[in-house]
Amino acid sequence: MLSSLFKLFGLKHNVMNNRVVSWLIKNEQFNAHLVNYQKSNELQKQFVQYLPDRYTANYSLYNKQTGFFEYNDIKKWTAGFYENNVGDLSRFLALNLCIDQLLEECIVGDIAEFGVFKGNSAFLLARFAQRINTNCYLFDTFEGFDERDFKENKETRFEQDFSGTSLSSVKEFVGEENVVYVKGFFPDSLAQIKEVEGLALVHIDCDLGAPFKAALDYFYPRLQKGGFLIMHDYTSLFWPGAKKAIDEYFKDKPEFLIPIPDKSGTCIIRKV
Ligand SMILES: C[S@@+](CC[C@H](N)C(=O)[O-])C[C@H]1O[C@@H](n2cnc3c(N)ncnc32)[C@H](O)[C@@H]1O
């Protein structure tokens, strides 16, 4: 039974994938089972060891509090980017936990993401902006990497150039409620928006060093105290330009970088 599931999803047969696949297959049923956690079967109990308690054993208690996390979001998190994002559920969970923390501390402000691609992380940030009724700014070319970022900097090139997307498909996927789409080469695209301030959460996921540096220069001073700055690809070793830009930027800042054990090596700071 399990081996046919692995074949179905094209995944290697190992323990972690066993649990990931089980969760994905069962998440809707699982959701309903959570209130009956004590009665759950052995597989569910095993799997529960790998998710935050607030989203499993204490899910009904959690739902009476911030209640932001939704199992159905996992479908959007993996949609069209399955091979990557099914392996990065920890990143999805970390984003949800950061949002929970802001909700619990009543830190309210605009949200921004630089590096949207198909919108697999943006939809969650947009949902957060709708919940707190602020703006979610989404910056991208929506056509993939721009050659200008390679001309002046020696950046690694991978097969993936993120051109397989479009503004209209992202609009359809993420929606337009509380969302401001800013299409174009960053940082030039900043000219399209009015000044922003008091940001509550910024997610930078542009992979390359030069735009990462430009994004830190712009977003960090505009983040409010306690706001989250979530930086992708810091410890993955795939994107040395991004790591260098982050290290150099935070050399003289009061915050320390906190690495997150997700697949793509996110690091986080909270603004002091
Ligand atoms: C890794 S993808 C973002 C993935 C997305 N955050 C997610 O989790 O699904 C990186 C994105 O950064 C965008 N990007 C990189 N450099 C850029 C620049 N200078 N201006 C605008 N967009 C850029 C690319 O177009 C690409 O869509």
Side-chain angles (χ1 to χ4, degrees):
M1 169 64 182
L2 273 173
S3 57
S4 51
L5 288 181
F6 291 127
K7 273 184 206 150
L8 183 69
F9 285 90
L11 294 171
K12 283 183 201 152
H13 191 149
N14 65 42
V15 176
M16 196 58 206
N17 283 337
N18 178 341
R19 296 199 167 98
V20 170
V21 171
S22 300
W23 184 35
L24 287 170
I25 299 269
K26 287 170 175 282
N27 76 69
E28 283 180 84
Q29 303 157 3
F30 193 61
N31 202 358
H33 278 300
L34 292 170
V35 277
N36 296 322
Y37 170 57
Q38 295 306 328
K39 294 179 206 156
S40 64
N41 66 33
E42 283 309 308
L43 180 63
Q44 287 166 339
K45 275 187 185 161
Q46 262 193 337
F47 198 61
V48 158
Q49 303 303 319
Y50 292 87
L51 296 176
D53 286 340
R54 59 172 43 206
Y55 303 146
T56 56
N58 291 327
Y59 196 46
S60 40
L61 182 61
Y62 167 75
N63 272 324
K64 289 182 194 138
Q65 299 175 13
T66 54
F68 181 80
F69 176 91
E70 286 180 10
Y71 276 87
N72 268 338
D73 282 349
I74 201 75
K75 288 181 190 157
K76 294 196 89 168
W77 175 252
T78 53
F81 210 12
Y82 183 86
E83 289 299 321
N84 184 66
N85 281 0
V86 77
D88 220 347
L89 289 178
S90 12
R91 180 181 173 212
F92 172 75
L93 295 166
L95 282 172
N96 276 277
L97 288 167
C98 292
I99 291 171
D100 279 346
Q101 195 64 29
L102 289 171
L103 288 170
E104 281 172 26
E105 294 178 22
C106 299
I107 293 180
V108 175
D110 286 338
I111 317 295
E113 178 176 80
F114 170 33
V116 178
F117 188 37
K118 294 183 179 183
N120 294 85
S121 47
F123 87 89
L124 196 70
L125 304 181
R127 192 160 80 65
F128 178 37
Q130 287 149 21
R131 164 81 175 256
I132 58 174
N133 198 22
T134 58
N135 294 312
C136 178
Y137 293 90
L138 299 181
F139 296 87
D140 205 301
T141 60
F142 297 98
E143 294 172 0
F145 289 146
D146 189 296
E147 277 306 309
R148 279 172 278 185
D149 284 327
F150 292 96
K151 268 186 193 145
E152 290 163 26
N153 301 285
K154 284 178 191 156
E155 294 279 5
T156 323
R157 281 183 192 265
F158 291 97
E159 268 176 35
Q160 174 74 286
D161 65 0
F162 300 102
S163 57
T165 185
S166 67
L167 180 58
S168 59
S169 65
V170 177
K171 278 186 176 172
E172 200 173 317
F173 185 76
V174 173
E176 297 198 51
E177 198 185 335
N178 295 67
V179 180
V180 180
Y181 288 94
V182 192
K183 178 174 161 51
F185 176 70
F186 191 97
D188 298 1
S189 57
L190 286 166
Q192 297 171 39
I193 59 161
K194 288 187 196 146
E195 182 60 42
V196 295
E197 57 182 26
L199 293 163
L201 187 155
V202 175
H203 183 218
I204 308 177
D205 183 10
C206 60
D207 299 340
L208 309 174
F212 225 114
K213 182 182 179 312
L216 289 169
D217 283 340
Y218 181 78
F219 290 118
Y220 175 86
R222 290 164 176 81
L223 199 62
Q224 65 175 285
K225 187 172 163 23
F228 277 86
L229 178 55
I230 303 171
M231 294 160 279
H232 204 230
D233 301 305
Y234 178 67
T235 61
S236 73
L237 302 179
F238 276 126
W239 304 105
K243 183 174 188 308
K244 188 165 174 265
I246 296 168
D247 283 336
E248 281 176 3
Y249 193 82
F250 281 98
K251 249 183 212 162
D252 61 354
K253 303 291 179 296
E255 296 85 1
F256 287 90
L257 299 165
I258 302 171
I260 301 300
D262 61 8
K263 172 180 163 294
S264 298
T266 298
C267 74
I268 293 184
I269 62 118
R270 291 193 77 182
K271 185 82 178 284
V272 172

